[in-house]
């Protein structure tokens, strides 16, 4: 391994890339990682030694607080390659701001912006051959922070590790998505950590989602924890409803993740003159709209899937099918977002960020 020092981030390169061992036509989402990873530790009150090093195991005490109290947050981003081999990020400052917002809620010290961007951009340059061209291909970027202090006292850790992993992925197409509307389980509660990308929010979804799968549904639409009356999120995504030609999505609150794809869809819809209502929507309203034929679409929005259309929903053991429509908002916004992400279209909001 050779060692060179950048401005802030030190770099230790692999001697030999493992890229030739990877079958890029048959990737399983999030299973394969590029040659390098970024690592930085919070010790003695400051973030220290940001380093890019060969992807590999990390050594940690089994008493590290992350294992006992789940003090951990993460982000999801993607890097795209255009036809001229340029690599692009999509609204990366939003992810940076959000991971620090999540950290603050979990009593984790905020991460410095210069370490984040120099680490990420340097590593993407080093591993740029892993970003493949073509529709749906990208590198999924997983920044995360974990509490590493050894000790099982229930108090915030005094030490942390911030890491970034890069994973080459293909389109996150899961086929038809049928969802169950939650009537007893909740994803998040008022005043809780729902708005943070906290690791535990995702773990808490696994059991109810497994129950939904046993009934032939792939995801759960989460409702408010108090009354299970308002529709809030879909699986790991934000959720949109199209009633006639109006697009409706729940307003952000402390239970709902401030989704970057969500707010991009809202901006694109408004730019196209589509009427968007950011307001609470009830299960009753959804069922009425389904019965009278005004419910045209439901779709989820998130980094991994971009836009994921829902084909049916179930409530109180009754299933309601969504109509099959041409020129759906879901496919329209998916294409528009991907055209911007892959540098194939104008970028009216200046969302693209080139890796130079
Ligand atoms: C996203 O799409 O935004 C996610 O967070 C997906 C991830 C949990 C795989």
């Amino acid at each position: 391994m050779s060692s060179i020092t950048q401005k802030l981030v030190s770099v230790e390169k692999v001697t030999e890339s493992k890229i030739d061992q990877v079958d890029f036509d048959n990737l399983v989402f999030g299973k394969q990682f590029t040659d390098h990873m970024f690592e930085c530790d919070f010790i003695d009150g400051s973030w220290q030694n940001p380093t890019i090093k060969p992807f590999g195991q990390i050594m940690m005490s089994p008493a590290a607080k992350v294992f006992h109290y789940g003090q951990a947050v993460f982000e999801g981003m993607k890097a795209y390659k255009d036809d001229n081999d340029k690599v692009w990020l999509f609204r990366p400052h939003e992810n940076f701001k959000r991971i620090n917002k999540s950290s603050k809620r979990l009593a984790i010290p905020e991460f410095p912006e210069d370490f984040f961007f120099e680490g990420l951009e340097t590593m993407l340059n080093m591993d740029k051959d892993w970003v493949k061209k073509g529709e749906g291909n990208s590198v999924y970027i997983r920044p995360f922070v974990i509490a590493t202090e050894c000790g099982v006292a229930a108090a915030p850790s005094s030490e942390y590790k911030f890491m970034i992993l890069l994973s080459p992925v293909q389109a996150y197409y899961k086929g038809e998505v049928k969802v169950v509307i939650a009537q007893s389980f909740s994803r998040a509660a008022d005043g809780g950590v729902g708005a943070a990308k906290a690791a535990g929010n995702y773990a808490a979804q696994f059991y109810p989602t497994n129950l939904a799968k046993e009934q032939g549904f792939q995801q759960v639409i989460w409702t408010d924890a108090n009354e299970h009356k308002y529709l809030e999120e879909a699986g790991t995504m934000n959720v949109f409803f199209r009633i006639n030609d109006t697009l409706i999505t729940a307003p952000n609150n402390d239970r709902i993740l401030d989704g970057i794809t969500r707010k991009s869809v809202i901006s694109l819809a408004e730019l196209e003159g589509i009427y968007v209502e950011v307001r609470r929507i009830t299960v009753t309203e959804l069922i009425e709209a389904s019965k009278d034929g005004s419910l045209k679409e439901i779709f989820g929005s998130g980094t991994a899937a971009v836009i994921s259309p829902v084909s049916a929903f179930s409530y109180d053991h009754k299933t309601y099918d969504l109509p099959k429509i041409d020129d759906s908002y879901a496919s329209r916004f998916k294409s528009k977002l991907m055209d911007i992400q892959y540098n194939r279209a104008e970028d009216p909001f200046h969302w693209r960020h080139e890796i130079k």
Side-chain angles (χ1 to χ4, degrees):
M1 282 166 206
S2 62
S3 222
I4 52 164
T5 302
Q6 302 275 316
K7 272 197 309 206
L8 298 167
V9 178
S10 60
V11 174
E12 192 187 313
K13 284 187 176 165
V14 291
T15 41
E16 202 178 337
S17 173
K18 56 181 193 282
I19 196 165
D20 291 340
Q21 297 162 26
V22 177
D23 178 1
F24 282 90
D25 294 327
N26 292 295
L27 295 168
V28 178
F29 184 88
K31 277 285 192 192
Q32 196 74 49
F33 293 92
T34 66
D35 288 324
H36 298 96
M37 63 186 191
F38 172 82
E39 190 175 342
C40 185
D41 291 312
F42 186 88
I43 305 167
D44 297 333
S46 69
W47 288 104
Q48 302 181 14
N49 306 324
T51 307
I52 293 170
K53 54 170 69 166
F55 180 91
Q57 311 286 318
I58 54 172
M59 284 278 286
M60 277 172 61
S61 163
K65 293 199 180 215
V66 66
F67 298 133
H68 303 273
Y69 303 114
Q71 202 187 2
V73 297
F74 72 95
E75 264 308 317
M77 313 164 66
K78 278 179 179 169
Y80 310 86
K81 192 172 265 180
D82 70 17
D83 287 340
N84 298 314
D85 287 325
K86 285 186 180 167
V87 175
W88 301 88
L89 295 173
F90 182 72
R91 309 188 76 177
H93 289 88
E94 295 292 328
N95 297 92
F96 173 72
K97 280 191 276 177
R98 195 171 62 184
I99 199 166
N100 275 343
K101 202 172 152 210
S102 300
S103 287
K104 194 169 173 194
R105 179 61 184 81
L106 275 279
I108 296 172
E110 293 180 22
F111 195 66
E113 186 168 3
D114 49 2
F115 283 6
F116 180 81
F117 280 99
E118 191 182 314
L120 178 58
E121 295 192 16
T122 307
M123 187 160 63
L124 279 169
N125 257 310
M126 291 164 63
D127 287 347
K128 62 175 179 290
D129 291 347
W130 292 78
V131 192
K132 297 295 179 195
K133 284 193 263 205
E135 187 78 3
N137 292 330
S138 61
V139 155
Y140 183 77
I141 302 166
R142 173 50 61 87
F144 65 100
V145 197
I146 50 175
T148 49
E149 185 193 342
C150 169
V152 295
S157 177
S158 60
E159 294 177 359
Y160 297 88
K161 195 178 278 299
F162 187 108
M163 299 194 73
I164 306 176
L165 310 179
L166 304 178
S167 172
V169 295
Q170 293 173 288
Y172 195 84
Y173 182 67
K174 284 186 187 158
E176 201 167 68
V177 179
K178 293 205 248 169
V179 299
V180 179
I181 295 178
Q183 288 183 266
S184 54
F185 290 105
S186 301
R187 176 191 170 273
D190 288 343
V193 294
K197 225 164 158 67
N201 287 344
Y202 295 76
Q205 296 189 30
F206 294 160
Y207 176 67
T209 307
N210 278 348
L211 296 182
K213 283 183 180 157
E214 283 170 16
Q215 296 166 36
F217 296 88
Q218 289 75 39
Q219 284 296 348
V220 176
I221 289 197
W222 303 104
T223 47
D224 68 293
N226 291 336
E227 300 175 90
H228 297 290
K229 185 170 157 191
Y230 296 99
L231 300 154
E232 302 213 315
E233 291 204 38
T236 61
M237 292 181 284
N238 295 114
V239 64
F240 284 86
F241 306 91
R242 174 182 173 185
I243 296 186
N244 291 318
D245 285 337
T246 300
L247 199 54
I248 304 166
T249 192
N252 285 333
N253 56 34
D254 57 7
R255 298 183 302 276
I256 297 180
L257 189 80
D258 181 11
I260 296 159
T261 312
R262 171 188 175 277
K263 56 187 169 202
S264 304
V265 167
I266 295 173
S267 300
L268 288 173
E270 288 176 341
L271 188 68
E272 285 207 13
I274 290 171
Y275 190 58
V276 182
E277 288 181 355
V278 178
R279 66 161 170 90
R280 304 186 90 186
I281 168 166
T282 61
V283 180
T284 312
E285 181 179 351
L286 186 77
I287 290 172
E288 288 306 314
S290 174
K291 284 184 180 159
D292 70 21
S294 57
L295 178 65
K296 307 287 183 212
E297 292 180 61
I298 303 177
F299 59 87
S301 68
T303 301
V306 191
I307 302 287
S308 180
V310 168
S311 61
F313 70 91
S314 156
Y315 185 74
D316 247 349
H317 307 290
K318 252 192 99 175
T319 299
Y320 302 81
D321 289 316
L322 273 291
K324 294 202 189 331
I325 51 172
D326 296 329
D327 188 27
S328 66
Y329 283 178
S331 58
R332 201 188 309 181
F333 293 126
K334 186 165 188 174
S335 311
K336 287 209 174 282
L337 280 167
M338 289 176 72
D339 283 347
I340 294 173
Q341 289 164 340
Y342 286 89
N343 190 27
R344 297 189 297 233
E346 284 300 303
D347 181 15
F349 298 102
H350 308 288
W351 288 333
R352 273 194 300 261
H353 175 94
E354 190 182 348
I355 299 299
K356 295 206 171 120

